[in-house]
Amino acid sequence: DHEGHHHADEVFQSFGMETSHKFTTAQIKDALGALSNFAMYGQVLRAKGIVEGEDGQWIHFDYVPGEPDVRLGSAAVTGMLCVIGAGLDEDGIRELFGL
């Protein structure tokens, strides 16, 4: 049973985007929760980012499957997020985050 084991020869994708879009923590939590939908978005192994909140605070997030960590933190110059995984639907993920 090799399920769950990752080998170095597997092809992983990583893509990042910058955004000036403003979010609420609820939107980020919902989006991160949706990333576990393998059928829709591919196999997301990690997602992280810093985006501006609608209230002017900055939202930091770090996601591994089953464990979204969302918190308020220090400001960044511009919002950005990065998603790492395999077979990712990049357009679908952009749409999920409203980008």
Side-chain angles (χ1 to χ4, degrees), residues 19-25 27-28 50-59 77 79 97-99:
T19 176
S20 56
H21 191 84
K22 290 181 172 56
F23 297 87
T24 63
T25 47
Q27 284 173 319
I28 292 294
I50 303 173
V51 294
E52 192 171 355
E54 289 184 345
D55 58 2
Q57 298 204 57
W58 286 76
I59 302 165
V77 176
F97 284 95
L99 305 178

Side-chain angles (χ1 to χ4, degrees), residues 1-88:
D1 176 14
H2 290 291
E3 228 174 296
H5 295 281
H6 299 296
H7 301 287
D9 58 357
E10 283 189 51
V11 181
F12 292 116
Q13 292 165 261
S14 170
F15 79 99
M17 352 172 218
E18 288 192 351
T19 176
S20 56
H21 191 84
K22 290 181 172 56
F23 297 87
T24 63
T25 47
Q27 284 173 319
I28 292 294
K29 285 178 179 168
D30 287 349
L32 295 180
L35 288 179
S36 63
N37 186 333
F38 182 86
M40 282 189 71
Y41 301 109
Q43 181 184 16
V44 177
L45 299 173
R46 181 104 194 264
K48 58 183 179 171
I50 303 173
V51 294
E52 192 171 355
E54 289 184 345
D55 58 2
Q57 298 204 57
W58 286 76
I59 302 165
H60 292 228
F61 64 89
D62 204 332
Y63 166 90
V64 291
E67 282 187 52
D69 174 29
V70 181
R71 63 201 179 278
L72 297 175
S74 55
V77 176
T78 184
M80 59 177 192
L81 53 119
C82 176
V83 179
I84 300 162
L88 299 178

